[in-house]
Amino acid sequence: MEEGLDTKMVKSSADYVKAMESNVQSNQVIETKVYKRRWLILVIFVLYSASNSMQWIQYSIIANIITTYYNVSTFSVDMTSMIYMITYIPFIFPASYLLDKFGLRFAVLTGAIGTVTGSWIKVFSVSPDRFWITFIGQTCVAVSQTFILSVPARLAAVWFDLNQVSSACSIGVFGNQLGIAIGFLFPPMLVQSNEDINQIGRGLHAMFYIVAAFTTIILVLILLFFKSKPPLPPNQAQAQIHRENETPKSFFMSMKKLLTNFGYLLLLFSYGINVGVFYAISTLLNQIILEYFPNHEKDAGRIGLTIICAGMLGSVVCGIVLDKTRKFKETTSGVYLFSFLGMIIFTFILMSTSQIFTIYIIAGTLGFFMTGYLPVGFEFAAELTYPEPEGTSAGLLNAMCQVFGIIFTTMYGYFLHIWGDFWANLFLCIALALGSFLTIIIPNDLRRQKVLKNPMVED
């Protein structure tokens, strides 16, 4: 125990309730401290998350070029995005188990190694007959995502004090959004449409080498600096979990508790719908924009970038609002309703305007709320399910996102080709309306806040 630290005799209300139930007075004290290195850990994670998510959309956003170069169908290109969703569903459960069993460092290292491996495989796929190799590399990166998306809530809880947890979680999610933004922006710049196949190949080579080098640097940073947890817990909520974890806890018991938590189940479906709609729009954005604005591949990428950048701002704003107000239910419901309204506006503006800058504005507004919702959902889930592991609750949320992402992307693409964009977008509006209703009826059961608002201090 470090010198100079004052020890406080603090006992949470959760300790008190457990003691009363067992007729035992719990006098155990655990010292807490917030470490400066938490910011380095968070920055490394942000870069690591970005290095993976930047590859999610790198093919779909230049779908017309990829289909020409590799001589494959648009469905095959869409699958390079959907493989992230497909692989997540079966792999999230072992990934969540390993995160809970071995901690943050093990999970992050595993994901980083997989991301690096997949990135370098793609380097050797630059040839019109090697789409299968590039798909193997993409699949390897996609599987690695299962060791990323569940981490922000867990990292924030393990390293940060309670007045910074929501902001830290939003910054962690920011990494995923940053990567997607890069994936929207740079592929259309590096790989441009050209009648010369070799010219396209040179662009792909440059893109794959840059990504592989970046992921390798991040892996080195993780090996050198990333730690699972601080020597002392940052707050009494984590101290309480530390006490309980001295006795091994069944992963499957946690899963059972989560799946019998009514409020969490409602959030599970509403969160999945919101993010599933976002996945569908992002995957097919190139096709939507080119339908109205031919030869505007770069604009499609920039509109995607606008969605994500606005979402980054939304994430940070929502995280600050949660830290300041602790109004988890109200913030979640409000952001969801604005996402629904934004989708309605996007649907009608898209078919009625001839000015592409209008699409930028509407898409940015939609992104602010729809992407900004991501960390809000994570934090609300942590409140509803405390003291269950944040990685497990976040993992289930993301698994449901992938399920809805596959469904919505497949149906959205089908409706686009059969009925056109208006009815396809209207379908997504109806889905968000259902999600808004589910969000509104979630019980406002803030379990983590209850522990922190009723501390019992012994003299």
Side-chain angles (χ1 to χ4, degrees), residues 305-315 363-369 371-372:
L305 175 66
T306 301
I307 291 174
I308 300 303
C309 288
M312 291 179 190
L313 177 61
S315 294
T365 303
L366 179 64
F368 181 88
F369 294 105
T371 315

Side-chain angles (χ1 to χ4, degrees), residues 108-307:
V108 169
L109 263 178
T110 302
I113 292 171
T115 301
V116 169
T117 302
S119 300
W120 280 105
I121 288 174
K122 293 182 189 180
V123 170
F124 301 99
S125 70
V126 182
S127 177
D129 61 346
R130 294 182 186 173
F131 182 77
W132 64 277
I133 294 179
T134 212
F135 196 82
I136 289 174
Q138 184 75 345
T139 301
C140 188
V141 176
V143 172
S144 304
Q145 179 199 214
T146 58
F147 294 95
I148 298 175
L149 294 185
S150 303
V151 169
R154 176 68 173 269
L155 188 152
V158 168
W159 278 94
F160 287 79
D161 197 5
L162 262 296
N163 63 353
Q164 296 178 330
V165 163
S166 295
S167 296
C169 181
S170 69
I171 294 172
V173 175
F174 173 92
N176 181 265
Q177 298 168 352
L178 175 63
I180 296 173
I182 294 171
F184 275 122
L185 179 63
F186 285 104
M189 295 172 61
L190 295 171
V191 187
Q192 299 183 16
S193 183
N194 198 304
E195 293 182 0
D196 184 359
I197 293 295
N198 294 325
Q199 194 68 25
I200 296 176
R202 281 190 282 272
L204 288 171
H205 235 143
M207 179 173 71
F208 292 150
Y209 266 116
I210 291 170
V211 172
F214 181 61
T215 57
T216 303
I217 292 170
I218 299 305
L219 175 59
V220 173
L221 291 176
I222 292 170
L223 286 168
L224 293 177
F225 301 112
F226 197 92
K227 306 296 181 184
S228 273
K229 60 183 179 180
L232 296 173
N235 55 66
Q236 285 301 316
Q238 279 298 306
Q240 170 68 13
I241 291 176
H242 175 79
R243 272 195 293 268
E244 293 176 353
N245 285 346
E246 289 176 353
T247 302
K249 191 174 184 179
S250 169
F251 170 76
F252 298 101
M253 184 62 70
S254 291
M255 291 287 291
K256 181 180 178 181
K257 289 183 178 180
L258 291 175
L259 294 176
T260 54
N261 183 323
F262 178 69
Y264 178 71
L265 287 177
L266 290 174
L267 180 63
L268 199 61
F269 281 93
S270 65
Y271 190 89
I273 290 171
N274 186 292
V275 182
V277 169
F278 167 71
Y279 285 168
I281 294 173
S282 299
T283 300
L284 299 169
L285 185 62
N286 173 271
Q287 299 174 43
I288 297 168
I289 298 303
L290 293 186
E291 178 72 22
Y292 289 92
F293 304 95
N295 302 317
H296 280 251
E297 292 91 350
K298 288 186 178 180
D299 278 304
R302 291 166 184 163
I303 289 170
L305 175 66
T306 301
I307 291 174

Side-chain angles (χ1 to χ4, degrees), residues 300-374:
R302 291 166 184 163
I303 289 170
L305 175 66
T306 301
I307 291 174
I308 300 303
C309 288
M312 291 179 190
L313 177 61
S315 294
V316 173
V317 170
C318 290
I320 294 172
V321 169
L322 287 179
D323 279 333
K324 296 296 184 182
T325 67
R326 322 309 296 170
K327 300 291 185 180
F328 293 87
K329 167 73 180 289
E330 295 83 350
T331 304
T332 304
S333 300
V335 172
Y336 210 116
L337 286 170
F338 278 112
S339 297
F340 168 52
L341 293 175
M343 189 65 212
I344 292 176
I345 295 171
F346 179 79
T347 298
F348 286 93
I349 290 295
L350 185 63
M351 61 180 296
S352 62
T353 185
S354 60
Q355 302 296 324
I356 198 165
F357 76 88
T358 307
I359 306 300
Y360 277 88
I361 296 172
I362 299 304
T365 303
L366 179 64
F368 181 88
F369 294 105
M370 185 171 286
T371 315
Y373 171 78
L374 299 179

